[in-house]
Structure formats: C-alpha cells, structure tokens
Amino acid sequence: MVKTILITGATDGIGKHLAKKLASEGHHVILHGRNPQKLELATQEVRAVSLRGRVSSYLADFSNLEDVYRFVGEIKRDFQSIDVLFNNAGLYAGKERKASAENVELTFMLSVLAPYILTTELSPLLEQSSDVRVINTSSYMHRFAKVKDLDFGFENDYNPGLAYNNSKLYTIWMTRYLARDFFLRGSNITVNSYHPGLISTNLGNNSSDEQTKKSLFGRLMKSFSKNLDEGIETGYYLTLAEEVTGLTGYYFDDKKVKAVSEKGYTFEKAQKLMNYCQEKIDLFKEKQDV
Ligand SMILES: NC(=O)c1ccc[n+]([C@@H]2O[C@H](COP(=O)([O-])OP(=O)(O)OC[C@H]3O[C@@H](n4cnc5c(N)ncnc54)[C@H](OP(=O)(O)O)[C@@H]3O)[C@@H](O)[C@H]2O)c1
C-alpha cells in the first residue's frame, strides 16, 4: 500500500537516505528542510530514484516558531491525510546557548517542541490514516541525561552535550505522554521513539563552533559509526513493518522494543514537560495576536 510519509530534516543524513529508499518503493514522501539549496538538491536526488515521482518539499527553520507554524499551515493546506510523521530533524548545538524569541533552547526546539507541535497540529490529518505512525527520533544518549530541577530551557546550566542528552530523554517522555493521551482520547494515532544507531552523518558538523566538531561527533563517530544503509534500518522498520501496527508509547533500538533509562520518569514530570511546551506555544500565540 502506498503511504504518504512526512520526514523532517530530510536534506541530509538519515532523513534523506530514508526518503530515497521509501520513494524508490513508490511511497509519496514529503521532504522538509531548512536550507533552500540543500532542500532543492535533496528533492532532485529523491525524485531521481522515486518510483512514482511523488515527492513534495517544504522549507522551514525549526529554530523559530513562526516557521514551524507556517510549515504546519502549508501542510494542512496541501494534504488531507498523512500516514507517517517522521520527526527526524535534530542537531548537536554549539557551546553558546541559542534560543528562540520565547527562550526555547535550540536543541530542545528541534527534539521536543517542533515534534510536539507537528504531531498535535497535524493530528486531524494523521487520524485519516488506517495505520498511522508518529516516529520521534531519540538517541541512546538519553541514558546520559542529567535531570535535576526540570530546567527544560537549560537556563541555569547549559552545555551542548547536556542539552542533547536531556532533549533526547524528553523526546521519550513526550512520546509516552502523547501515546497515552491519544489512546485515552480514542485516537488511532500511535507514537513511538527510537535510536537509529551510531551513524556516520553530518550531525555535529553543523555546529558553529570548532570544539564541538572536533570532539564527540568528529572523532567518535568516524571510528565507530555505521553507514547510512544500516542507519535507516530501524527507521524504515518503524515506518512500514506490519508488526509495529498498533504499538504505541515504546522506544525502539535495532528494530526491537528496548527498555529506556527511566531517569526518575513519572507521569507528573512528563506533564510538566508538556506544560512547559504549552506555555511557550501560548507565549508565541499571544505575540501573534498583538
Ligand atoms: N547520527 C547518529 O549517530 C545519531 C544517533 C542518534 C540519534 N540521531 C538523531 O537522528 C536524527 C538525524 O540526524 P543525522 O545524524 O541524520 O544528522 P544530519 O545529517 O545533521 O541531519 C539532520 C537534519 O536536521 C536538519 N536540521 C538541523 N537544524 C535544523 C533546523 N534549525 N531546522 C530544521 N531542520 C534542521 C538538518 O538540516 P541541514 O541539512 O540544513 O543541516 C538535516 O536535514 C537527529 O534527530 C539526530 O539527533 C543521530
């Protein structure tokens, strides 16, 4: 069955490689990117291997909520249903904390707030599908998160590693929360998170500071990482495998459900995370009304 699959961060690495494979099998892929030149190139590359030529593309920089909401509006305008929302865009930020106008830290913005807004805003389109899947990209690095006082903005203590590890843990908390929420509301939307493996991509190279490039994602990734064909295996599995149908709220690694590092998870903490997201959304919307 041909699926309509929206992949964020499809201009590089895992997102682009997955888009090519899915398009080559005849699925309609909707590519998202933040850089116009890279998006144009990725669209051409994906279209060149596409079986049916059904490739759409949209530009949005997730570092600001204006772009996130404009993107959502364009998708709502152009599509009536979506089968899979693959929240893949992510980054390993630089050593200076960067934040949106609402003071949402950049890593958190990409890993948590943008996926949250996309999932909730696009839920009416997703609910049209008979086998709907939201896939949130977490990381094994969530195991190294240090959660002290639920400082979701990393205002008291910022470094790129902490922001990355904690945001990937919060991705899992959000996934659990949304999976439960959709289930309790009788929605057919399933939400899972996953770790793709340690994959050789541009992650970290996009960071503006040299120290970040040379450290974790410079040396470690080159020596141990897998290639992109291996890097998309679990994402591809979550997108299409029949045995995943109906599963929701889980964390996957290597095509299997894996236990997550709890890090003191409680439903109340997940609720606080969601409240934080909602406060930032409200702040943004208030400003739009002025
Ligand atoms: N590679 C790994 O070993 C690994 C391990 C665990 C988890 N992950 C996760 O897997 C996902 C994909 O990463 P990757 O390794 O494929 O990295 P990548 O090659 O750097 O791709 C990241 C994608 O996100 C996009 N992006 C970055 N900043 C953005 C912004 N402000 N607004 C919108 N899009 C933005 C990038 O756009 P540009 O092309 O314009 O830069 C690119 O398309 C990420 O969530 C990452 O955290 C990766």
Side-chain angles (χ1 to χ4, degrees), residues 157-208:
D157 190 11
Y158 172 83
N159 71 65
L162 179 80
Y164 188 83
N165 301 345
N166 281 23
S167 292
K168 291 302 189 186
L169 177 72
Y170 300 145
T171 301
I172 294 172
W173 289 11
M174 171 183 66
T175 299
R176 284 179 165 191
Y177 183 93
L178 287 176
R180 178 182 183 273
D181 192 52
F182 284 128
F183 176 78
L184 290 177
R185 289 199 281 115
S187 167
N188 59 344
I189 299 177
T190 65
V191 196
N192 292 295
S193 64
Y194 91 112
H195 168 60
L198 184 59
I199 315 302
S200 182
T201 66
N202 252 335
L203 194 70
N205 294 337
N206 291 321
S207 167
S208 54

Side-chain angles (χ1 to χ4, degrees), residues 23-24 26-29 46-56:
S24 75
H27 299 288
H28 179 184
V29 289
V46 176
R47 200 163 274 142
V49 297
S50 162
L51 188 67
R52 293 192 175 82
R54 299 190 66 198
V55 182
S56 313

Side-chain angles (χ1 to χ4, degrees), residues 9 11 14 34 38 61-62 88 138 164 168 197 199 201 206:
T11 48
I14 294 165
R34 56 139 175 202
K38 283 185 83 170
D61 186 340
F62 288 172
N88 164 76
S138 177
Y164 188 83
K168 291 302 189 186
I199 315 302
T201 66
N206 291 321

Side-chain angles (χ1 to χ4, degrees), residues 209-227:
D209 67 88
E210 289 304 314
Q211 202 188 340
T212 298
K213 289 182 197 175
K214 283 183 193 151
S215 62
L216 181 64
F217 291 99
R219 289 176 285 117
L220 185 77
M221 284 188 68
K222 278 202 173 60
S223 19
F224 297 109
S225 52
K226 296 178 177 177
N227 65 35

Side-chain angles (χ1 to χ4, degrees), residues 15-277:
K16 184 168 82 173
H17 207 64
L18 181 62
K20 283 164 105 172
K21 181 164 171 69
L22 293 166
S24 75
E25 293 175 358
H27 299 288
H28 179 184
V29 289
I30 307 168
L31 311 178
H32 152 265
R34 56 139 175 202
N35 173 321
Q37 289 80 28
K38 283 185 83 170
L39 184 60
E40 177 56 33
L41 265 177
T43 307
Q44 285 173 16
E45 275 184 54
V46 176
R47 200 163 274 142
V49 297
S50 162
L51 188 67
R52 293 192 175 82
R54 299 190 66 198
V55 182
S56 313
S57 59
Y58 293 84
L59 195 63
D61 186 340
F62 288 172
S63 65
N64 69 83
L65 287 178
E66 285 84 358
D67 260 32
V68 175
Y69 276 98
R70 184 185 43 73
F71 173 53
V72 159
E74 289 172 1
I75 296 292
K76 283 180 179 169
R77 177 195 67 201
D78 296 345
F79 295 90
Q80 290 184 340
S81 77
I82 290 175
D83 299 293
V84 180
L85 167 61
F86 205 121
N87 287 309
N88 164 76
L91 94 166
Y92 193 89
K95 63 178 185 233
E96 297 294 330
R97 179 183 180 277
K98 287 193 179 156
S100 72
E102 301 75 27
N103 201 15
V104 182
E105 189 278 327
L106 182 61
T107 325
F108 184 97
M109 188 84 161
L110 267 93
S111 290
V112 186
L113 190 55
Y116 174 71
I117 293 171
L118 262 56
T119 306
T120 50
E121 287 285 333
L122 298 180
S123 60
L125 279 70
L126 292 162
E127 279 163 349
Q128 302 306 311
S129 169
S130 56
D131 181 8
V132 49
R133 302 173 187 204
V134 175
I135 302 156
N136 292 327
T137 307
S138 177
S139 168
Y140 182 85
M141 298 303 282
H142 82 274
R143 296 182 189 280
F144 302 100
K146 288 188 181 130
V147 181
K148 272 194 296 187
D149 23 338
L150 300 184
D151 175 18
F152 300 124
F154 308 107
E155 288 182 58
N156 305 323
D157 190 11
Y158 172 83
N159 71 65
L162 179 80
Y164 188 83
N165 301 345
N166 281 23
S167 292
K168 291 302 189 186
L169 177 72
Y170 300 145
T171 301
I172 294 172
W173 289 11
M174 171 183 66
T175 299
R176 284 179 165 191
Y177 183 93
L178 287 176
R180 178 182 183 273
D181 192 52
F182 284 128
F183 176 78
L184 290 177
R185 289 199 281 115
S187 167
N188 59 344
I189 299 177
T190 65
V191 196
N192 292 295
S193 64
Y194 91 112
H195 168 60
L198 184 59
I199 315 302
S200 182
T201 66
N202 252 335
L203 194 70
N205 294 337
N206 291 321
S207 167
S208 54
D209 67 88
E210 289 304 314
Q211 202 188 340
T212 298
K213 289 182 197 175
K214 283 183 193 151
S215 62
L216 181 64
F217 291 99
R219 289 176 285 117
L220 185 77
M221 284 188 68
K222 278 202 173 60
S223 19
F224 297 109
S225 52
K226 296 178 177 177
N227 65 35
L228 276 174
D229 283 342
E230 295 163 307
I232 64 168
E233 280 180 9
T234 301
Y236 178 82
Y237 170 82
L238 289 173
T239 303
L240 295 178
E242 273 182 26
E243 60 260 40
V244 180
T245 303
L247 293 183
T248 191
Y250 293 103
Y251 168 79
F252 286 79
D253 183 355
D254 205 12
K255 295 189 268 182
K256 292 181 193 72
V257 172
K258 289 273 165 72
V260 293
S261 180
E262 290 291 329
K263 298 282 175 188
Y265 172 87
T266 62
F267 176 74
E268 288 67 32
K269 285 184 188 171
Q271 180 76 64
K272 281 188 179 154
L273 172 69
M274 296 295 98
N275 291 347
Y276 175 82
C277 289

